Amino acid sequence: MTLLFHNTPTFKDIPENSQLNFQDPCSPIMEQIIILHDYTMFILLTILIFILWLLIKTTGYMIYWRNMNENTTLEIIWTILPAIILATIAYPSLKLLYATDEIIEPELTIKSIGNQWYWSYEYSDYQNKKIEFTSYMIPTEELNEGDNRLLEVDNRLIIPTNTNIRILITAADVLHSFTVPSLGIKADAIPGRLNQVNFLASRPGIFYGQCSELCGTNHSFMPIIIESTNLKNYSYFIHTQI
């Protein structure tokens, strides 16, 4: 059912062997998450280097500075300075937290349902017909050359770029988790409950994710693929399904 649109530049964002950094971001929220991570790591590494320097300088000397004992000014400094550092980390963290929960007016709503062990999707915004399909992992023996083992699916979730999208996430049986790192998406799929995630794909590409909540013996075999394409190709995909 899913088509690859060869007339649009398409990039595959998948983790590589021994990769330590994040995958390339494809949404404004994920870009801000990476910026916050780098900012926080810079502060932590600066503190770590400073403490190591102090330990190295003080370990080799058996000199006691009597002014260190009950020094009120020094105690005020080493109390206020960490508080300031924590505040500089807390402010952008809270700002990003509220940004991820911000309710936007969606231009497209998709429902994602976790099952043991596959995903099913529904496009219900179209009056003519509700589009429904399932997405199973492609077995290793059926993969084509260049495909990614345990990550390819038979039907991809197609979305348009630069469009405010809302995904309603639930489960039909047990707990699952809908996670796509490049888009900054991670939400639990809970039976009998709808979780909501808003995002915007800022560029075309193929973005891989997986269920990240232990859901049974085949937990590792229910990947997620979201393919972002331009509005023309997305419209063609929808018309082929209606």
Side-chain angles (χ1 to χ4, degrees):
M1 185 188 73
T2 298
L3 303 175
L4 285 173
F5 304 110
H6 298 287
N7 58 336
T8 301
T10 303
F11 307 93
K12 289 189 176 184
D13 286 329
I14 59 174
E16 300 176 356
N17 292 332
S18 305
Q19 178 175 331
L20 296 178
N21 57 331
F22 290 97
Q23 298 179 37
D24 292 337
C26 179
S27 68
I29 290 296
M30 191 59 195
E31 291 175 2
Q32 293 302 314
I33 290 174
I34 294 177
I35 291 172
L36 176 63
H37 169 268
D38 295 342
Y39 170 71
T40 306
M41 289 302 297
F42 172 76
I43 293 177
L44 294 178
L45 288 174
T46 302
I47 295 172
L48 178 62
I49 292 171
F50 176 69
I51 292 175
L52 288 176
W53 178 80
L54 284 179
L55 289 174
I56 292 171
K57 296 293 283 186
T58 56
T59 308
Y61 298 94
M62 300 300 294
I63 300 175
Y64 175 73
W65 185 27
R66 62 182 181 180
N67 291 331
M68 286 279 290
N69 192 25
E70 297 183 5
N71 190 323
T72 305
T73 304
L74 190 60
E75 290 180 358
I76 292 174
I77 291 173
W78 70 38
T79 301
I80 294 179
L81 187 59
I84 294 174
I85 294 173
L86 289 175
T88 60
I89 297 175
Y91 174 72
S93 300
L94 291 173
K95 186 177 179 181
L96 179 59
L97 181 63
Y98 280 101
T100 57
D101 289 336
E102 183 180 3
I103 304 300
I104 60 174
E105 185 65 30
E107 300 170 82
L108 174 65
T109 299
I110 302 171
K111 187 175 181 181
S112 174
I113 305 171
N115 304 268
Q116 288 181 311
W117 288 272
Y118 63 94
W119 294 95
S120 57
Y121 302 105
E122 296 179 8
Y123 296 78
S124 53
D125 286 350
Y126 303 99
Q127 296 180 353
N128 297 339
K129 181 182 178 183
K130 182 169 67 172
I131 302 173
E132 300 178 86
F133 59 91
T134 57
S135 180
Y136 286 87
M137 186 193 76
I138 299 178
T140 303
E141 59 273 12
E142 298 179 13
L143 292 175
N144 298 318
E145 185 177 355
D147 287 344
N148 301 288
R149 180 176 172 270
L150 304 184
L151 286 177
E152 301 294 342
V153 297
D154 55 357
N155 294 315
R156 297 173 177 173
L157 181 62
I158 308 296
I159 62 170
T161 57
N162 299 315
T163 302
N164 290 323
I165 297 173
R166 174 176 63 184
I167 293 187
L168 302 177
I169 301 168
T170 187
D173 35 49
V174 298
L175 288 176
H176 301 277
S177 185
F178 190 87
T179 305
V180 183
S182 294
L183 293 168
I185 297 174
K186 186 180 187 299
D188 288 339
I190 304 171
R193 175 176 173 178
L194 280 179
N195 275 342
Q196 175 177 308
V197 173
N198 300 298
F199 72 95
L200 180 146
S202 55
R203 60 183 172 86
I206 300 172
F207 309 106
Y208 292 80
Q210 287 180 308
C211 174
S212 55
E213 181 72 38
L214 187 60
C215 57
T217 56
N218 289 334
H219 159 69
S220 303
F221 306 114
M222 49 183 302
I224 303 162
I225 295 185
I226 295 180
E227 183 172 350
S228 174
T229 186
N230 60 40
L231 190 58
K232 179 181 178 181
N233 288 334
Y234 172 76
S235 300
Y236 173 76
F237 162 75
I238 293 299
H239 286 307
T240 59
Q241 305 307 314
I242 295 179

